[in-house]
Every structure is written in C-alpha cells, then in structure tokens.
Amino acid sequence: MRKLQVKFGTSNTKGSSRALIRPLQRDRGSGDNELNSRRRVDAVMAELEKMIGLDNVKGLIKELRAFVEIQRRRQREGLVSSANTLHMIFKGNPGTGKSTVARLMGRLFKELGVLSQGHLIEVERADLVGEYIGHTAHKAREQLKKAIGGILFIDEAYSLARGGEKDFGREAIDVLVKGMEDYRENLILILAGYKDEMDYFLETNPGLRSRFPIQLEFPDYTVPELLAIAQVMLAEKQYILTPAAAGELEKILRREVLLGHRYNGNARMVRNIIERAMRRQALRLVNKKNLTRQELMSIEREDLLRPALPAGVKEGESNLPGGPPICYNNSR
C-alpha cells in the first residue's frame, strides 16, 4: 500500500485569511445559488468516482472538499478558519489520469469558491523556458497570468532542472516559485511527471518540497482496470466486444503489462488498441451490404489481431528504402 502524503498549511496571516473570503461571500447569496453550486460539486465528485482505480487520489479530493466546507462552516460560527496550501506534485507514468484529475480539481475548486475560474492551463518546458536572457522570465510570467483563477499544470516538470546551473530552466523555477506567492489566493500549481524523475527533481531543489505539501502517486493500472477502461471507452462509442474479442484483448493487455515498456501508456495504450480495432472492424465491414445493428457494434477477435507483416519484412524494419520501421505493436 503506497503512502499518501498530505499536509495542510495553517497560516493565519492576512493573506491566508483573505483566501477564504471568496467562498464565504458566495454563501451570502440566495439559497438557490448555493443549492446549484452544491449540485455542481456533487456532479464533479460523481465524475471522479466513475474513473477506474485511483482510490488514493479520490480519497485526497474528498478530504480537500471536506476541509474547505468545514472551514466555511467554522467561519460562519466565528471560529478561526485555516487556509490550506493546495500546490501539488503528481507522480506517475503516462496515461494514469494525471491531467484528467487536475481538470476535475479545477472545476471542483471553482464550485467550492477556492478558485475564481477553475480552468486548466497545461504546459511543458518549451512553454516556460526561453532561448536567451530575459526570455524565460517573460514566458513563465505569461503562463502564470493565463492560469490565474485556475490551475497551472506543468507536465514533465523535472525537465526544468536537467540542464545544469546555467540552464534557463532554473530561472523558470524561480519565476514559478515567486508566482506561487504572488497569486497564492487564486492559483494552484501542479508539477507532474514520472515518479523517479520527480523524486530526483525534488532532491535537487530541496526548497520546492515544502512548497508542495500534497504529493500524489498515480500507479499504473492493473490488467482488470485496463479491461474496465476499455469497456468504458467502447460503451461511450457504442461498440461491444464479442466474448472471443474480450479474451484476446485481455491477452494483449497482459502481454503489454508483463513484457511491454514501463512507459507503455496505460489508458492511452488502451485507447490506441480500441481505436485501431474500430478501424479494422470498419475495413472488415465496409464492402458488406445489409449490415445489422449488432454487426455495426461488434468488435470481433480478428479486429484485435496484429496484421501479417509483408513478405520478407521483419517487425522493426522498413520495406521501403529510407522508410520508417514497421511496428504492429498494439500499444503504438
């Protein structure tokens, strides 16, 4: 069982106190507005619950929602209310739901009154780091300004510290840290990336660890969870797997989990497999007449099988001079 690291700030400075005024002012509005806001909060939480796995992530978000609502009630009773530090670190491989969860958090914190807009600005190193002196600070500040009122989500954040002492990435980090303070009442910063790389990133920047009290791990999905994700994707597009196709998909996923690359893509890998099967189903059916509804919906086992390689060509090789390698791995 992985440990969930959570710490709430309890500062009573003027800045921290003001951070709770926005949600409490909204409470003074009509009862209808408050009821509608609660319904929207419940709708976001229901969306979160529909996500496969991520029990530790769901647990944290429930804690944060409860914390904000209880502080609101405490202030109504004239009790001391505490501000909470919401800057976060997301650790996990691609396709484990980090961006999706960040987007849901933005919507949730808007309805709770913590953020004024709740939008998500997703950036990477190239959006923050410039090519000459002074350029980086300008680019980083522009991204911060875009994110005010919402969440600034920096993917592969560890890349900001890869270039050594003279790299402009360190300048971007300095600008971000200052922005966290300048806009602390209406901005959440989330740094995301692979677990090992993010751990190393925090070790090389010891001052950052204390600024990001909430650290969440997004584990790779298990085979049953990947199968459940596939079923959700298929249902959304009104497709179904035949029993033989379901068995074949499970074989493919087990092979990828056991033998595939550690960064195989998780939910993204599943989406690629499903979309490819849909294309192959279309190719199988396109010349048939009088198709039934069941045929149009059904993914057969053959739709999931890898096509035969051209004669004389091995996987990973090209059959054209100078052409790209051929790879029929279902996860690509």
Side-chain angles (χ1 to χ4, degrees), residues 157-165 169-170 173-174 191 196-209:
Y158 50 81
S159 64
L160 294 175
R162 275 183 171 173
E165 292 294 333
R170 293 185 178 273
I173 294 172
D174 293 339
L191 305 184
D196 292 344
E197 283 84 347
M198 290 303 295
D199 287 339
Y200 177 76
F201 175 56
L202 292 174
E203 289 298 323
T204 58
N205 295 271
L208 286 178
R209 189 178 294 276

Side-chain angles (χ1 to χ4, degrees), residues 23-71:
L24 295 169
Q25 285 178 333
R26 284 173 46 161
D27 285 345
R28 301 189 186 112
S30 69
D32 287 344
N33 288 338
E34 186 172 352
L35 179 61
N36 289 335
S37 179
R38 179 167 290 277
R39 285 173 177 169
R40 288 191 291 269
V41 167
D42 290 340
V44 174
M45 297 303 293
E47 259 186 80
L48 178 70
E49 283 301 321
K50 288 181 181 179
M51 294 185 70
I52 306 300
L54 301 179
D55 291 341
N56 62 330
V57 177
K58 294 173 183 177
L60 169 69
I61 295 177
K62 290 175 183 177
E63 288 178 15
L64 294 176
R65 175 193 179 181
F67 184 82
V68 172
E69 291 186 346
I70 289 300
Q71 296 311 306

Side-chain angles (χ1 to χ4, degrees), residues 123-296:
V123 300
E124 54 189 19
R125 177 186 166 95
D127 301 305
L128 299 169
V129 178
E131 300 176 356
Y132 50 85
I133 296 175
H135 191 205
T136 292
H138 174 72
K139 292 184 74 172
R141 289 192 193 105
E142 286 300 308
Q143 297 298 338
L144 282 167
K145 289 177 182 178
K146 289 179 185 177
I148 292 174
I151 293 176
L152 180 60
F153 182 90
I154 304 177
D155 199 15
E156 298 185 4
Y158 50 81
S159 64
L160 294 175
R162 275 183 171 173
E165 292 294 333
K166 296 182 179 180
D167 184 71
F168 292 139
R170 293 185 178 273
E171 182 182 358
I173 294 172
D174 293 339
V175 173
L176 292 171
V177 168
K178 185 177 186 301
M180 290 167 60
E181 293 299 318
D182 293 346
Y183 308 120
R184 64 183 179 274
E185 297 174 10
N186 199 20
L187 173 71
I188 294 174
L189 182 61
I190 298 179
L191 305 184
Y194 300 121
K195 180 183 183 306
D196 292 344
E197 283 84 347
M198 290 303 295
D199 287 339
Y200 177 76
F201 175 56
L202 292 174
E203 289 298 323
T204 58
N205 295 271
L208 286 178
R209 189 178 294 276
S210 62
R211 297 179 184 275
F212 293 87
I214 301 174
Q215 297 187 29
L216 270 174
E217 288 189 19
F218 287 69
D220 288 334
Y221 290 108
T222 63
V223 172
E225 288 172 340
L226 292 172
L227 285 168
I229 290 171
Q231 293 290 358
V232 170
M233 291 179 178
L234 287 162
E236 288 176 348
K237 299 177 181 295
Q238 294 187 307
Y239 283 88
I240 57 174
L241 294 172
T242 64
E248 183 62 29
L249 178 59
E250 182 174 0
K251 288 181 184 178
I252 292 170
L253 294 175
R254 288 194 182 281
R255 182 171 62 244
E256 290 293 337
V257 169
L258 292 175
L259 303 176
H261 195 278
R262 60 174 294 207
Y263 305 138
N264 63 12
N266 286 284
R268 295 179 192 173
M269 171 188 67
V270 174
R271 182 180 297 110
N272 290 341
I273 293 172
I274 294 303
E275 290 181 351
R276 181 173 171 276
M278 290 164 53
R279 294 194 300 270
R280 296 206 67 199
Q281 184 239 39
L283 187 62
R284 176 170 55 83
L285 298 178
V286 69
N287 292 323
K288 293 184 179 181
K289 296 181 179 180
N290 302 320
L291 289 168
T292 67
R293 179 183 177 87
Q294 186 71 17
E295 287 175 316
L296 290 168

